[in-house]
Amino acid sequence: MIRLAIQAKGRLNEESTEILTESGLTFEKSKRKLLTRCEDFPLEILYLRDDDIPGAVEMGVADIGIVGLNEVVEKAADVEIIHKLGFGKCRLSLAIPKSETYEGVASFNGKRVATSYPVILKDFFYSKGVSAQIHKIAGSVEVAPSVGMADAIFDIVSTGGTLITNGLKEVEKVFLSEAVLIVNKEIDNEKRTLVNQLISRFEAVERSKGMKYLLMNIPLSMVDDAAILIPGMRSPTILPLAQPGWCSMHVVVNENQLWPKLESLKAIGAEGILVLSLDKMMP
Ligand code: PRP
């Protein structure tokens, strides 16, 4: 049995729950039950505040956790970052009132900066030789300049909507973050095996994102040309049709190359093209 800590509420909760569900794990999703058991995998899910997750994994209260890289670095947690999950992408940025002119990072010298991430900000200022006053606040950081609490802020930016709404502009992108899977460094081999199984399920889900399954009928004489256009994972699957001289070709393609490929395939004689969604892909 392993215990996984995920965010109880907030920006990573939904996507964390989604990747677990897409990985075939069934569990109760009540917002009130803070420790729940998976029905079909030896896994317990512990719901925590995101900034408590790195410490919980470091202490072994949870064996693994899904949390933003920003929280892991801010807490300087002694955990293993074992897998990047590709969701929850955001950045930690410095922002100032939009009416002000930005004159480079040296302009933060002597300024008061409000943030929930003082460790990352202190490191950044140190690396740039800036001496500023860092005020740690737990939330509502973007309001600090307009109420006279600070001259600037350092906080999470995702869409940038919160900055705009609060009359601020982003002037320095300091730290890029995304959700990561972290692991306690002292878990035993049995738990490590379960963690690896979980990662392999996550990878199967991640691999299928943006991929489509393509089926078409094509003259046998055009198979080599089509295989150049759509080589697939190893090579396309070719199945005979009842009609001589024709076959059915099946292949996995990346969605962002789909339309040009479909047009080229039609141009070389492909017919009856079907594009299907994919749920999971194991290598
Ligand atoms: C974060 C952050 C900003 C906001 C930025 O808050 O503190 O306020 O997101 O997002 P945007 O660029 O898309 O507007 P979050 O919603 O994570 O809640 P928090 O107060 O718990 O940090």
Side-chain angles (χ1 to χ4, degrees), residues 11 142 155-162:
R11 63 178 54 234
E142 289 87 349
D155 199 19
I156 293 174
V157 180
S158 178
T159 61
T162 310

Side-chain angles (χ1 to χ4, degrees), residues 7 9-12 49-50 91 116-117 138-142 155-166:
Q7 201 183 32
K9 42 190 157 187
R11 63 178 54 234
L12 293 187
R49 270 178 61 110
D50 61 347
R91 52 200 186 267
S116 307
Y117 297 93
S140 304
V141 175
E142 289 87 349
D155 199 19
I156 293 174
V157 180
S158 178
T159 61
T162 310
L163 290 184
I164 292 169
T165 309
N166 288 283

Side-chain angles (χ1 to χ4, degrees), residues 114-189:
T115 186
S116 307
Y117 297 93
V119 172
I120 295 174
L121 181 58
K122 197 169 152 222
D123 279 358
F124 174 72
F125 279 156
Y126 181 77
S127 73
K128 300 287 178 192
V130 170
S131 170
Q133 295 172 43
I134 298 174
H135 288 273
K136 186 180 178 191
I137 54 174
S140 304
V141 175
E142 289 87 349
V143 84
S146 61
V147 296
M149 198 193 290
D151 304 303
I153 66 128
F154 177 66
D155 199 19
I156 293 174
V157 180
S158 178
T159 61
T162 310
L163 290 184
I164 292 169
T165 309
N166 288 283
L168 299 170
K169 65 179 175 192
E170 185 177 15
V171 291
E172 292 284 343
K173 293 175 187 166
V174 172
F175 184 91
L176 295 181
S177 184
E178 69 181 276
V180 290
L181 186 68
I182 55 172
V183 184
N184 176 279
K185 287 188 165 170
E186 280 154 23
I187 57 167
D188 60 27
N189 285 340

Side-chain angles (χ1 to χ4, degrees), residues 104-274:
V105 72
S107 61
F108 287 102
N109 269 309
K111 294 278 169 61
R112 296 165 305 156
V113 186
T115 186
S116 307
Y117 297 93
V119 172
I120 295 174
L121 181 58
K122 197 169 152 222
D123 279 358
F124 174 72
F125 279 156
Y126 181 77
S127 73
K128 300 287 178 192
V130 170
S131 170
Q133 295 172 43
I134 298 174
H135 288 273
K136 186 180 178 191
I137 54 174
S140 304
V141 175
E142 289 87 349
V143 84
S146 61
V147 296
M149 198 193 290
D151 304 303
I153 66 128
F154 177 66
D155 199 19
I156 293 174
V157 180
S158 178
T159 61
T162 310
L163 290 184
I164 292 169
T165 309
N166 288 283
L168 299 170
K169 65 179 175 192
E170 185 177 15
V171 291
E172 292 284 343
K173 293 175 187 166
V174 172
F175 184 91
L176 295 181
S177 184
E178 69 181 276
V180 290
L181 186 68
I182 55 172
V183 184
N184 176 279
K185 287 188 165 170
E186 280 154 23
I187 57 167
D188 60 27
N189 285 340
E190 204 179 313
K191 287 186 175 184
R192 180 68 65 173
T193 303
L194 291 173
V195 172
N196 288 339
Q197 283 175 13
L198 212 51
I199 292 173
S200 140
R201 291 191 186 199
F202 289 171
E203 284 174 342
V205 174
E206 286 155 11
R207 235 178 254 117
S208 70
K209 299 263 183 229
M211 304 301 274
K212 295 286 175 194
Y213 192 74
L214 201 60
L215 299 90
M216 77 206 77
N217 295 331
I218 190 160
L220 274 172
S221 59
M222 297 314 291
V223 163
D224 289 346
D225 289 6
I228 293 169
L229 285 168
I230 43 168
M233 291 170 71
R234 183 181 295 274
S235 72
T237 302
I238 308 293
L239 300 169
L241 289 194
Q243 184 180 338
W246 281 77
C247 67
S248 171
M249 191 165 176
H250 300 202
V251 74
V252 172
V253 293
N254 199 314
E255 194 174 11
N256 61 23
Q257 305 160 1
L258 196 60
W259 285 107
K261 302 249 177 199
L262 293 184
E263 281 146 18
S264 306
L265 289 163
K266 285 224 52 106
I268 62 168
E271 292 177 358
I273 301 173
L274 299 179

Side-chain angles (χ1 to χ4, degrees), residues 79-91:
V79 294
E80 185 187 344
I81 297 169
I82 197 163
H83 188 69
K84 289 185 175 177
L85 290 157
F87 59 81
K89 290 196 174 175
C90 64
R91 52 200 186 267

